[in-house]
Amino acid sequence: MKLTSFGAAGEVTGSQHLLEVGDRRILLDCGLFQGHRAESRLKNERFHCLPKKLDAVILSHAHMDHCGNLPGLSKAGFHGPIFCTEATADVAEMMLEDSAHIQAEDARYLSGRLRPGHPSVEPLYDMDDVKKVVKHMDPCKYHEWYELAEDIRIRFSDAGHILGSAITEIEVMDGTTSKRIVFTGDLGRRGLPLLRDPEFVEGCDVLITESTYADKIHPTGGDTQAELERIINEAYQHGGRVIIPAFSLGRTQNIVYFLNELANKQRLPSIPIYVDSPLSRRITSAYRRHVEDMDSDVQQLLQTDNDPFGFPGLTYLQAPDESIALNGSGGPFVVVASSGMCESGRVVHHLKHGLSNPNNTVVLMGFQAANTLGRRIAERSRFVRIFDRDVAVRCKVETLSGLSAHADAEDFRWWFKAMHGTSHIGQAFIVHGERESALAQVEILDEYCDERPTIASFATVHHL
Protein backbone atom coordinates (compact mmCIF):
# COMPACT_ATOMS: atom_id res chain seq x y z
CA MET A 1 0.00 0.00 0.00
CA LYS A 2 1.07 3.59 -0.64
CA LEU A 3 0.02 7.03 0.58
CA THR A 4 0.72 10.25 -1.32
CA SER A 5 -0.47 13.73 -0.33
CA PHE A 6 -1.30 16.19 -3.12
CA GLY A 7 -2.77 18.87 -0.84
CA ALA A 8 -2.84 19.86 2.84
CA ALA A 9 0.77 18.68 3.12
CA GLY A 10 2.73 21.34 4.98
CA GLU A 11 -0.30 23.65 4.78
CA VAL A 12 -3.92 23.77 5.96
CA THR A 13 -5.85 23.90 2.71
CA GLY A 14 -6.63 21.79 -0.35
CA SER A 15 -6.91 18.42 1.43
CA GLN A 16 -6.18 15.60 -1.02
CA HIS A 17 -4.50 12.29 -0.14
CA LEU A 18 -4.15 9.30 -2.48
CA LEU A 19 -4.31 5.82 -0.96
CA GLU A 20 -3.19 3.00 -3.26
CA VAL A 21 -4.16 -0.53 -2.27
CA GLY A 22 -2.83 -2.95 -4.87
CA ASP A 23 -4.33 -1.74 -8.14
CA ARG A 24 -7.11 0.24 -6.40
CA ARG A 25 -6.79 3.99 -5.99
CA ILE A 26 -8.84 5.85 -3.37
CA LEU A 27 -8.72 9.61 -2.82
CA LEU A 28 -9.24 10.95 0.70
CA ASP A 29 -10.92 14.36 0.26
CA CYS A 30 -10.69 16.68 -2.74
CA GLY A 31 -10.53 20.22 -1.42
CA LEU A 32 -9.96 23.58 -3.01
CA PHE A 33 -6.63 25.23 -2.37
CA GLN A 34 -7.39 28.67 -0.94
CA GLY A 35 -4.81 31.43 -1.08
CA HIS A 36 -3.53 34.09 -3.48
CA ARG A 37 -5.58 34.06 -6.67
CA ALA A 38 -2.87 33.11 -9.19
CA GLU A 39 -1.35 30.38 -6.99
CA SER A 40 -4.78 28.98 -6.15
CA ARG A 41 -5.81 28.86 -9.79
CA LEU A 42 -2.68 26.96 -10.78
CA LYS A 43 -3.01 24.39 -7.98
CA ASN A 44 -6.76 23.87 -8.40
CA GLU A 45 -6.56 23.32 -12.17
CA ARG A 46 -4.01 20.52 -11.91
CA PHE A 47 -4.77 17.05 -10.55
CA HIS A 48 -1.78 14.84 -9.77
CA CYS A 49 -3.94 11.93 -8.59
CA LEU A 50 -4.88 10.80 -12.14
CA PRO A 51 -8.66 11.31 -11.82
CA LYS A 52 -9.61 8.87 -14.58
CA LYS A 53 -7.85 6.03 -12.72
CA LEU A 54 -9.46 6.67 -9.33
CA ASP A 55 -11.86 4.04 -8.01
CA ALA A 56 -13.51 6.10 -5.26
CA VAL A 57 -13.36 9.23 -3.11
CA ILE A 58 -13.87 9.25 0.65
CA LEU A 59 -15.07 12.68 1.79
CA SER A 60 -14.51 13.56 5.45
CA HIS A 61 -16.74 16.67 5.59
CA ALA A 62 -18.23 19.58 3.65
CA HIS A 63 -15.78 22.43 4.25
CA MET A 64 -14.50 23.81 0.95
CA ASP A 65 -10.87 22.97 1.64
CA HIS A 66 -11.97 19.32 1.79
CA CYS A 67 -14.81 19.01 -0.76
CA GLY A 68 -14.53 22.13 -2.94
CA ASN A 69 -12.76 20.65 -5.96
CA LEU A 70 -14.93 17.56 -6.41
CA PRO A 71 -16.64 19.08 -9.50
CA GLY A 72 -13.20 19.78 -10.97
CA LEU A 73 -12.18 16.19 -10.31
CA SER A 74 -15.30 15.04 -12.15
CA LYS A 75 -14.53 17.35 -15.09
CA ALA A 76 -11.05 15.81 -15.21
CA GLY A 77 -12.50 12.32 -15.68
CA PHE A 78 -13.46 10.85 -12.29
CA HIS A 79 -16.91 9.23 -12.31
CA GLY A 80 -16.75 6.84 -9.35
CA PRO A 81 -18.60 6.88 -6.03
CA ILE A 82 -18.02 9.52 -3.35
CA PHE A 83 -18.54 8.03 0.10
CA CYS A 84 -19.56 10.43 2.88
CA THR A 85 -22.09 10.73 5.71
CA GLU A 86 -25.70 11.64 4.99
CA ALA A 87 -25.37 15.13 6.47
CA THR A 88 -22.15 15.77 4.55
CA ALA A 89 -23.86 14.88 1.27
CA ASP A 90 -26.67 17.30 2.14
CA VAL A 91 -24.40 20.21 3.11
CA ALA A 92 -21.72 19.63 0.45
CA GLU A 93 -24.30 20.10 -2.31
CA MET A 94 -25.14 23.56 -0.94
CA MET A 95 -21.49 24.51 -0.50
CA LEU A 96 -20.56 23.44 -4.03
CA GLU A 97 -23.51 25.28 -5.57
CA ASP A 98 -22.48 28.42 -3.70
CA SER A 99 -18.89 27.96 -4.88
CA ALA A 100 -20.00 27.65 -8.52
CA HIS A 101 -22.10 30.82 -8.15
CA ILE A 102 -19.19 32.79 -6.64
CA GLN A 103 -16.77 31.56 -9.31
CA ALA A 104 -19.15 32.65 -12.08
CA GLU A 105 -19.48 36.12 -10.53
CA ASP A 106 -15.72 36.45 -10.04
CA ALA A 107 -15.05 35.34 -13.62
CA ARG A 108 -17.46 37.96 -14.99
CA TYR A 109 -15.91 40.68 -12.85
CA LEU A 110 -12.30 39.81 -13.70
CA SER A 111 -13.03 39.36 -17.42
CA GLY A 112 -14.47 42.88 -17.49
CA ARG A 113 -11.18 44.29 -16.18
CA LEU A 114 -8.90 42.59 -18.72
CA ARG A 115 -7.08 44.34 -21.54
CA PRO A 116 -8.66 44.01 -25.02
CA GLY A 117 -7.70 40.74 -26.66
CA HIS A 118 -6.84 39.00 -23.38
CA PRO A 119 -8.57 35.59 -22.95
CA SER A 120 -11.56 35.73 -20.64
CA VAL A 121 -11.38 34.26 -17.14
CA GLU A 122 -13.30 30.99 -16.79
CA PRO A 123 -14.58 29.45 -13.54
CA LEU A 124 -13.02 26.16 -12.44
CA TYR A 125 -16.49 24.60 -12.72
CA ASP A 126 -20.11 25.61 -13.12
CA MET A 127 -23.51 24.61 -11.76
CA ASP A 128 -23.89 21.75 -14.26
CA ASP A 129 -20.61 20.27 -13.04
CA VAL A 130 -21.90 20.44 -9.47
CA LYS A 131 -25.12 18.66 -10.40
CA LYS A 132 -23.14 15.87 -12.09
CA VAL A 133 -20.81 15.24 -9.15
CA VAL A 134 -23.60 15.34 -6.56
CA LYS A 135 -25.20 12.35 -8.31
CA HIS A 136 -22.09 10.32 -7.46
CA MET A 137 -22.34 10.94 -3.70
CA ASP A 138 -23.04 7.74 -1.79
CA PRO A 139 -24.43 8.76 1.65
CA CYS A 140 -23.51 6.42 4.52
CA LYS A 141 -24.73 6.12 8.09
CA TYR A 142 -22.36 6.48 11.01
CA HIS A 143 -21.06 3.21 12.55
CA GLU A 144 -22.02 0.91 9.67
CA TRP A 145 -19.50 -0.90 7.46
CA TYR A 146 -19.65 -0.31 3.69
CA GLU A 147 -17.75 -2.30 1.06
CA LEU A 148 -15.66 -0.42 -1.47
CA ALA A 149 -14.44 -3.70 -2.92
CA GLU A 150 -14.24 -7.38 -1.89
CA ASP A 151 -11.13 -6.68 0.18
CA ILE A 152 -11.78 -3.07 1.31
CA ARG A 153 -14.45 -1.74 3.64
CA ILE A 154 -14.97 1.58 5.44
CA ARG A 155 -16.84 2.87 8.48
CA PHE A 156 -17.53 6.44 9.60
CA SER A 157 -17.49 7.74 13.17
CA ASP A 158 -18.36 11.26 14.29
CA ALA A 159 -15.37 13.62 14.14
CA GLY A 160 -17.18 16.37 16.07
CA HIS A 161 -15.86 19.08 13.73
CA ILE A 162 -18.96 20.23 11.82
CA LEU A 163 -22.31 18.65 11.03
CA GLY A 164 -21.63 15.36 9.24
CA SER A 165 -17.88 15.34 9.75
CA ALA A 166 -16.35 11.88 9.93
CA ILE A 167 -13.35 9.90 11.07
CA THR A 168 -12.85 7.13 8.50
CA GLU A 169 -11.76 3.60 9.37
CA ILE A 170 -10.52 1.62 6.37
CA GLU A 171 -9.96 -2.12 6.66
CA VAL A 172 -7.98 -3.85 3.93
CA MET A 173 -7.78 -7.64 3.66
CA ASP A 174 -4.46 -8.99 2.45
CA GLY A 175 -4.91 -12.72 2.15
CA THR A 176 -5.83 -13.88 5.64
CA THR A 177 -4.61 -10.78 7.45
CA SER A 178 -6.17 -7.33 7.64
CA LYS A 179 -4.67 -3.86 7.89
CA ARG A 180 -6.44 -0.91 9.52
CA ILE A 181 -6.07 2.68 8.33
CA VAL A 182 -7.66 5.62 10.16
CA PHE A 183 -8.09 9.05 8.55
CA THR A 184 -9.19 11.72 11.04
CA GLY A 185 -10.31 14.31 8.49
CA ASP A 186 -10.56 17.42 10.66
CA LEU A 187 -10.88 16.33 14.28
CA GLY A 188 -13.22 18.42 16.40
CA ARG A 189 -13.16 19.57 20.01
CA ARG A 190 -14.76 18.44 23.21
CA GLY A 191 -17.59 20.50 24.62
CA LEU A 192 -18.55 22.50 21.53
CA PRO A 193 -22.19 23.55 21.21
CA LEU A 194 -24.43 21.39 19.00
CA LEU A 195 -21.84 18.77 18.14
CA ARG A 196 -21.02 15.47 19.78
CA ASP A 197 -17.47 15.09 21.02
CA PRO A 198 -15.12 13.28 18.62
CA GLU A 199 -15.77 9.55 18.89
CA PHE A 200 -13.01 7.16 19.81
CA VAL A 201 -11.98 4.50 17.32
CA GLU A 202 -9.76 1.48 17.83
CA GLY A 203 -6.03 1.54 17.22
CA CYS A 204 -4.67 1.07 13.74
CA ASP A 205 -1.68 0.14 11.63
CA VAL A 206 -1.71 3.51 9.83
CA LEU A 207 -3.00 6.83 11.16
CA ILE A 208 -3.42 9.90 8.93
CA THR A 209 -4.16 12.89 11.15
CA GLU A 210 -4.62 16.63 10.78
CA SER A 211 -2.59 18.99 12.95
CA THR A 212 -4.11 22.46 12.44
CA TYR A 213 -3.98 23.59 16.09
CA ALA A 214 -1.72 20.95 17.63
CA ASP A 215 0.43 23.78 19.02
CA LYS A 216 -2.50 25.71 20.61
CA ILE A 217 -4.91 25.57 23.55
CA HIS A 218 -8.36 27.08 22.82
CA PRO A 219 -10.50 29.04 25.28
CA THR A 220 -13.79 27.37 26.15
CA GLY A 221 -17.05 27.83 24.25
CA GLY A 222 -18.90 28.82 27.43
CA ASP A 223 -16.74 31.92 27.71
CA THR A 224 -17.86 32.86 24.19
CA GLN A 225 -21.54 32.77 25.14
CA ALA A 226 -20.93 35.00 28.17
CA GLU A 227 -18.94 37.44 26.05
CA LEU A 228 -21.69 37.61 23.42
CA GLU A 229 -24.19 38.42 26.16
CA ARG A 230 -21.96 41.22 27.49
CA ILE A 231 -21.25 42.71 24.06
CA ILE A 232 -24.90 42.76 22.95
CA ASN A 233 -26.09 44.31 26.21
CA GLU A 234 -23.41 47.02 26.07
CA ALA A 235 -24.21 47.85 22.45
CA TYR A 236 -27.91 48.05 23.25
CA GLN A 237 -27.25 50.51 26.10
CA HIS A 238 -25.30 52.75 23.71
CA GLY A 239 -27.80 52.42 20.86
CA GLY A 240 -25.21 50.69 18.67
CA ARG A 241 -25.10 47.82 16.22
CA VAL A 242 -23.29 44.52 16.68
CA ILE A 243 -21.82 43.16 13.44
CA ILE A 244 -20.66 39.53 13.58
CA PRO A 245 -18.83 38.24 10.48
CA ALA A 246 -19.25 34.45 10.49
CA PHE A 247 -18.78 31.56 8.11
CA SER A 248 -22.07 30.14 6.82
CA LEU A 249 -21.24 26.55 7.76
CA GLY A 250 -20.75 25.78 11.43
CA ARG A 251 -19.89 29.12 12.96
CA THR A 252 -23.21 30.83 12.19
CA GLN A 253 -25.19 27.91 13.62
CA ASN A 254 -23.05 27.92 16.79
CA ILE A 255 -23.69 31.63 17.32
CA VAL A 256 -27.43 31.32 16.73
CA TYR A 257 -27.59 28.37 19.13
CA PHE A 258 -25.89 30.45 21.84
CA LEU A 259 -28.25 33.37 21.20
CA ASN A 260 -31.23 31.00 21.35
CA GLU A 261 -30.08 29.79 24.77
CA LEU A 262 -29.67 33.38 25.98
CA ALA A 263 -33.12 34.29 24.65
CA ASN A 264 -34.67 31.28 26.40
CA LYS A 265 -33.09 32.47 29.66
CA GLN A 266 -34.28 36.05 29.00
CA ARG A 267 -30.74 37.35 29.14
CA LEU A 268 -30.89 39.36 25.92
CA PRO A 269 -32.29 42.88 25.65
CA SER A 270 -35.20 43.63 23.33
CA ILE A 271 -32.99 43.98 20.25
CA PRO A 272 -33.67 42.64 16.74
CA ILE A 273 -31.22 39.98 15.56
CA TYR A 274 -30.67 39.12 11.89
CA VAL A 275 -28.87 36.36 10.04
CA ASP A 276 -28.06 37.96 6.70
CA SER A 277 -26.83 35.17 4.44
CA PRO A 278 -28.91 33.05 2.05
CA LEU A 279 -26.35 30.23 2.31
CA SER A 280 -26.44 30.32 6.12
CA ARG A 281 -30.22 30.07 5.95
CA ARG A 282 -30.04 26.99 3.71
CA ILE A 283 -27.37 25.29 5.82
CA THR A 284 -29.33 25.99 9.01
CA SER A 285 -32.22 24.13 7.39
CA ALA A 286 -29.87 21.17 6.94
CA TYR A 287 -28.96 21.38 10.63
CA ARG A 288 -32.67 21.18 11.45
CA ARG A 289 -32.98 18.08 9.24
CA HIS A 290 -30.10 16.33 11.01
CA VAL A 291 -30.71 17.10 14.69
CA GLU A 292 -30.25 13.37 15.43
CA ASP A 293 -26.52 13.88 14.72
CA MET A 294 -26.21 16.52 17.47
CA ASP A 295 -25.17 16.22 21.09
CA SER A 296 -27.16 15.32 24.19
CA ASP A 297 -27.69 18.99 25.14
CA VAL A 298 -29.55 19.54 21.87
CA GLN A 299 -31.62 16.40 22.40
CA GLN A 300 -32.57 17.64 25.87
CA LEU A 301 -33.36 21.14 24.59
CA LEU A 302 -35.69 19.68 21.95
CA GLN A 303 -37.93 18.44 24.75
CA THR A 304 -38.93 22.05 25.51
CA ASP A 305 -37.79 24.01 22.43
CA ASN A 306 -38.63 22.59 19.02
CA ASP A 307 -36.19 24.88 17.16
CA PRO A 308 -32.65 25.48 18.50
CA PHE A 309 -32.07 27.90 15.59
CA GLY A 310 -35.07 30.20 15.95
CA PHE A 311 -36.53 32.44 18.63
CA PRO A 312 -38.67 35.60 18.86
CA GLY A 313 -36.66 38.55 17.59
CA LEU A 314 -34.50 36.50 15.20
CA THR A 315 -35.02 37.00 11.45
CA TYR A 316 -33.28 35.22 8.57
CA LEU A 317 -32.91 37.62 5.65
CA GLN A 318 -33.05 36.34 2.09
CA ALA A 319 -33.49 39.07 -0.54
CA PRO A 320 -30.75 41.66 -1.22
CA ASP A 321 -33.31 44.43 -0.66
CA GLU A 322 -33.83 43.22 2.90
CA SER A 323 -30.09 43.42 3.56
CA ILE A 324 -29.82 46.91 2.05
CA ALA A 325 -32.80 48.15 4.06
CA LEU A 326 -31.15 46.98 7.28
CA ASN A 327 -28.33 49.50 6.91
CA GLY A 328 -30.85 52.30 6.50
CA SER A 329 -32.75 51.43 9.67
CA GLY A 330 -32.36 53.28 12.94
CA GLY A 331 -31.72 51.93 16.41
CA PRO A 332 -29.56 49.07 17.66
CA PHE A 333 -29.54 45.60 16.12
CA VAL A 334 -27.35 42.50 15.81
CA VAL A 335 -26.45 41.09 12.41
CA VAL A 336 -24.62 37.82 11.73
CA ALA A 337 -23.40 37.72 8.12
CA SER A 338 -20.80 35.93 6.02
CA SER A 339 -17.97 35.76 5.33
CA GLY A 340 -15.98 35.08 8.48
CA MET A 341 -12.85 36.92 7.34
CA CYS A 342 -14.83 39.83 5.85
CA GLU A 343 -13.52 39.26 2.35
CA SER A 344 -16.85 38.86 0.56
CA GLY A 345 -20.59 38.59 1.09
CA ARG A 346 -23.12 40.87 2.69
CA VAL A 347 -21.05 41.50 5.82
CA VAL A 348 -18.76 43.78 3.79
CA HIS A 349 -21.69 46.17 3.23
CA HIS A 350 -22.55 46.14 6.94
CA LEU A 351 -18.94 46.93 7.78
CA LYS A 352 -18.86 49.78 5.27
CA HIS A 353 -21.86 51.36 7.01
CA GLY A 354 -20.92 50.47 10.58
CA LEU A 355 -17.17 50.75 11.15
CA SER A 356 -17.07 54.51 11.61
CA ASN A 357 -19.62 54.67 14.46
CA PRO A 358 -17.97 54.46 17.93
CA ASN A 359 -21.22 53.06 19.40
CA ASN A 360 -21.05 49.99 17.15
CA THR A 361 -19.13 46.76 17.82
CA VAL A 362 -17.58 44.31 15.38
CA VAL A 363 -17.16 40.81 16.81
CA LEU A 364 -14.52 38.74 15.01
CA MET A 365 -15.01 35.04 15.67
CA GLY A 366 -11.50 33.66 15.77
CA PHE A 367 -8.46 33.69 13.51
CA GLN A 368 -8.24 36.26 10.70
CA ALA A 369 -5.81 35.33 7.93
CA ALA A 370 -3.10 37.70 6.72
CA ASN A 371 -4.06 40.19 4.01
CA THR A 372 -7.79 39.95 4.74
CA LEU A 373 -10.15 42.78 5.70
CA GLY A 374 -10.82 40.90 8.93
CA ARG A 375 -7.11 40.98 9.84
CA ARG A 376 -6.90 44.71 9.18
CA ILE A 377 -9.93 45.33 11.40
CA ALA A 378 -8.49 43.04 14.11
CA GLU A 379 -5.26 45.05 14.03
CA ARG A 380 -7.28 48.25 14.47
CA SER A 381 -6.04 49.94 11.30
CA ARG A 382 -7.18 53.59 11.36
CA PHE A 383 -8.69 53.17 7.90
CA VAL A 384 -9.60 50.13 5.81
CA ARG A 385 -10.31 49.94 2.09
CA ILE A 386 -13.87 48.81 1.23
CA PHE A 387 -15.26 49.08 -2.32
CA ASP A 388 -12.45 51.47 -3.35
CA ARG A 389 -13.16 53.79 -0.43
CA ASP A 390 -11.24 54.43 2.77
CA VAL A 391 -13.47 53.78 5.77
CA ALA A 392 -12.44 54.96 9.24
CA VAL A 393 -12.42 52.31 11.99
CA ARG A 394 -13.88 54.00 15.06
CA CYS A 395 -16.10 51.19 16.37
CA LYS A 396 -15.24 48.76 19.14
CA VAL A 397 -13.55 45.56 17.94
CA GLU A 398 -13.82 42.32 19.91
CA THR A 399 -12.19 38.99 19.04
CA LEU A 400 -13.69 35.78 20.42
CA SER A 401 -11.81 32.53 19.86
CA GLY A 402 -13.83 29.98 21.81
CA LEU A 403 -15.69 28.50 18.83
CA SER A 404 -12.78 27.09 16.87
CA ALA A 405 -14.03 23.76 15.51
CA HIS A 406 -10.55 22.18 15.37
CA ALA A 407 -9.03 20.02 18.09
CA ASP A 408 -6.27 21.69 20.09
CA ALA A 409 -3.22 20.05 21.71
CA GLU A 410 -5.18 18.73 24.69
CA ASP A 411 -7.96 17.34 22.50
CA PHE A 412 -5.43 15.50 20.34
CA ARG A 413 -3.63 14.06 23.37
CA TRP A 414 -6.97 12.86 24.81
CA TRP A 415 -8.00 11.21 21.54
CA PHE A 416 -4.64 9.57 20.71
CA LYS A 417 -4.34 8.20 24.25
CA ALA A 418 -7.76 6.54 23.98
CA MET A 419 -6.91 5.07 20.58
CA HIS A 420 -3.59 3.74 21.83
CA GLY A 421 -5.35 2.18 24.82
CA THR A 422 -7.41 -0.10 22.57
CA SER A 423 -4.40 -1.72 20.84
CA HIS A 424 -1.66 0.29 19.15
CA ILE A 425 -0.87 3.00 16.60
CA GLY A 426 1.64 1.87 14.00
CA GLN A 427 2.78 4.38 11.39
CA ALA A 428 1.43 7.94 11.66
CA PHE A 429 1.35 10.60 8.96
CA ILE A 430 0.68 14.23 9.82
CA VAL A 431 -1.18 16.43 7.34
CA HIS A 432 -3.26 19.63 7.29
CA GLY A 433 -0.98 21.79 9.38
CA GLU A 434 1.68 24.45 8.99
CA ARG A 435 5.22 23.60 10.09
CA GLU A 436 4.99 24.64 13.76
CA SER A 437 1.72 22.82 14.41
CA ALA A 438 2.88 19.72 12.52
CA LEU A 439 6.08 19.58 14.58
CA ALA A 440 4.02 19.92 17.76
CA GLN A 441 1.83 17.04 16.58
CA VAL A 442 4.91 14.86 16.10
CA GLU A 443 5.81 15.34 19.76
CA ILE A 444 2.26 14.68 21.00
CA LEU A 445 1.80 11.57 18.88
CA ASP A 446 5.29 10.14 19.35
CA GLU A 447 4.32 8.97 22.86
CA TYR A 448 1.63 6.68 21.42
CA CYS A 449 3.14 5.43 18.15
CA ASP A 450 5.21 2.36 17.39
CA GLU A 451 7.55 4.54 15.34
CA ARG A 452 8.35 8.21 14.96
CA PRO A 453 5.48 10.06 13.17
CA THR A 454 6.11 11.42 9.67
CA ILE A 455 5.11 14.87 8.44
CA ALA A 456 3.70 14.35 4.95
CA SER A 457 5.19 16.45 2.16
CA PHE A 458 3.74 17.21 -1.25
CA ALA A 459 3.80 14.30 -3.74
CA THR A 460 6.09 12.17 -1.57
CA VAL A 461 5.17 8.48 -1.77
CA HIS A 462 5.00 6.72 1.62
CA HIS A 463 4.94 2.93 1.69
CA LEU A 464 2.57 1.48 4.28
Side-chain angles (χ1 to χ4, degrees), residues 186-463:
D186 281 355
L187 200 67
R189 295 172 58 193
R190 294 167 288 175
L192 276 186
L194 299 177
L195 303 175
R196 296 183 292 228
D197 291 350
E199 293 184 308
F200 296 131
V201 299
E202 294 179 6
C204 57
D205 302 293
V206 179
L207 173 66
I208 306 163
T209 178
E210 65 116 334
S211 58
T212 314
Y213 288 116
D215 59 340
K216 300 287 191 304
I217 302 293
H218 298 311
T220 65
D223 294 341
T224 301
Q225 186 179 43
E227 287 295 281
L228 282 172
E229 179 184 359
R230 173 187 63 79
I231 291 165
I232 292 170
N233 278 285
E234 288 179 359
Y236 178 75
Q237 291 168 11
H238 292 93
R241 303 174 181 179
V242 178
I243 303 168
I244 308 178
F247 293 110
S248 297
L249 173 55
R251 197 64 54 86
T252 291
Q253 291 75 33
N254 285 343
I255 293 166
V256 171
Y257 181 72
F258 275 157
L259 295 176
N260 181 70
E261 282 192 321
L262 291 171
N264 286 345
K265 296 172 184 176
Q266 298 183 336
R267 287 163 58 180
L268 290 177
S270 180
I271 184 172
I273 299 173
Y274 302 94
V275 174
D276 189 14
S277 163
L279 180 59
S280 294
R281 181 180 179 180
R282 291 182 66 202
I283 290 173
T284 301
S285 295
Y287 270 65
R288 291 186 175 111
R289 288 193 295 273
H290 294 280
V291 289
E292 73 281 357
D293 288 344
M294 297 179 194
D295 67 14
S296 59
D297 289 341
V298 175
Q299 306 311 319
Q300 184 174 352
L301 176 64
L302 288 169
Q303 303 303 311
T304 56
D305 182 350
N306 63 5
D307 186 4
F309 307 104
F311 52 89
L314 173 66
T315 303
Y316 288 85
L317 303 182
Q318 178 69 20
D321 288 350
E322 295 176 301
S323 180
I324 293 168
L326 191 58
N327 282 308
S329 64
F333 63 80
V334 178
V335 59
V336 182
S338 61
S339 68
M341 294 189 188
C342 313
E343 280 294 283
S344 60
R346 294 182 180 181
V347 76
V348 181
H349 296 271
H350 296 303
L351 293 169
K352 173 188 172 185
H353 290 277
L355 285 173
S356 298
N357 188 335
N359 293 323
N360 293 343
T361 304
V362 172
V363 184
L364 300 172
M365 304 302 293
F367 178 74
Q368 301 294 312
N371 304 312
T372 62
L373 176 57
R375 172 66 73 88
R376 291 188 286 274
I377 293 171
E379 293 174 344
R380 296 309 305 266
S381 300
R382 290 181 59 201
F383 292 89
V384 293
R385 196 78 172 168
I386 300 178
F387 301 135
D388 298 324
R389 288 182 53 192
D390 286 328
V391 178
V393 181
R394 300 192 185 97
C395 64
K396 302 179 187 70
V397 179
E398 304 259 7
T399 299
L400 306 182
S401 302
L403 290 182
S404 174
H406 282 275
D408 65 9
E410 291 303 316
D411 294 314
F412 281 122
R413 191 171 283 108
W414 163 79
W415 196 77
F416 295 147
K417 182 178 180 180
M419 173 183 266
H420 179 262
T422 63
S423 59
H424 79 131
I425 302 174
Q427 294 173 283
F429 297 92
I430 295 169
V431 299
H432 207 281
E434 295 180 349
R435 180 169 176 77
E436 291 305 314
S437 62
L439 289 170
Q441 190 73 297
V442 169
E443 298 308 316
I444 293 171
L445 195 47
D446 190 42
E447 181 179 349
Y448 306 107
C449 283
D450 295 346
E451 55 188 77
R452 184 79 169 167
T454 298
I455 299 174
S457 55
F458 179 79
T460 299
V461 178
H462 300 284
H463 293 272

